[in-house]
């Protein structure tokens, strides 16, 4: 599979993200930071809640953003193929608690089950 791009999270991929979510069958989507939706009581099936969650993912990397207690700043990127959500990567700016130091680390990532084993490659630009 070629033509993979890294982009900032966007609400325009709501339907694709939900299809990916269904593939995980209730398991945690590594790197996607879905736990923030649960923390705030957002139902990601609801478009308005999804918009709020996407905005939070973007805000978490801003230096002036008031982080939720116990969380650290992070940058989240989504892997997409055309208009299809493929996966996510979360890059934590610091390891600010014992869980991250011992288990979580600086990088969390996950690829949707249907995209695994397909040799994901970044597209090459023609020059």
């Amino acid at each position: 599979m070629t033509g993979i791009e890294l982009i900032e999270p966007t609400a325009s991929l709501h339907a694709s993200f939900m299809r990916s979510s269904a593939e995980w069958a209730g398991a945690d989507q590594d790197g996607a930071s879905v736990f923030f939706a649960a923390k705030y009581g957002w139902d990601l099936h609801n478009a308005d809640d999804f918009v709020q969650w996407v905005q939070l993912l973007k805000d978490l990397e801003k230096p002036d953003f008031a982080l939720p207690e116990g969380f650290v700043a992070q940058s989240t990127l989504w892997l997409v193929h055309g208009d299809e959500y493929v996966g996510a990567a979360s890059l934590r700016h610091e390891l600010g608690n014992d869980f991250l130091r011992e288990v979580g680390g600086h990088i969390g990532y996950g690829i949707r089950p249907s995209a695994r084993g397909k040799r994901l490659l970044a597209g090459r630009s023609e020059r």
Side-chain angles (χ1 to χ4, degrees):
M1 181 183 298
T2 60
I4 298 295
E5 295 180 88
L6 284 171
I7 65 168
E8 72 176 15
T10 174
S12 68
L13 292 176
H14 181 223
S16 178
F17 184 90
M18 295 316 303
R19 288 190 298 274
S20 171
S21 184
E23 291 178 20
W24 288 82
D28 181 44
Q29 296 183 50
D30 295 332
S33 299
V34 172
F35 56 84
F36 280 114
K39 177 176 177 47
Y40 288 96
W42 296 328
D43 175 4
L44 295 183
H45 291 90
N46 176 288
D48 292 333
D49 287 356
F50 189 82
V51 167
Q52 290 183 76
W53 175 68
V54 166
Q55 186 59 54
L56 175 65
L57 295 179
K58 293 177 183 182
D59 289 344
L60 287 168
E61 70 178 88
K62 297 177 181 174
D64 60 340
F65 182 70
L67 295 166
E69 182 70 31
F71 292 92
V72 300
Q74 70 178 39
S75 298
T76 300
L77 296 170
W78 284 2
L79 290 81
V80 298
H81 181 250
D83 62 354
E84 196 66 25
Y85 172 89
V86 176
S90 293
L91 310 171
R92 295 176 199 95
H93 301 185
E94 64 178 302
L95 302 180
N97 59 51
D98 290 339
F99 175 78
L100 292 178
R101 283 189 290 276
E102 295 170 18
V103 179
H106 280 287
I107 301 170
Y109 68 94
I111 301 295
R112 70 189 287 173
S114 65
R116 295 178 190 159
K118 294 189 178 179
R119 298 180 52 116
L120 300 175
L121 302 171
R124 297 181 185 180
S125 60
E126 301 295 321
R127 292 186 185 193

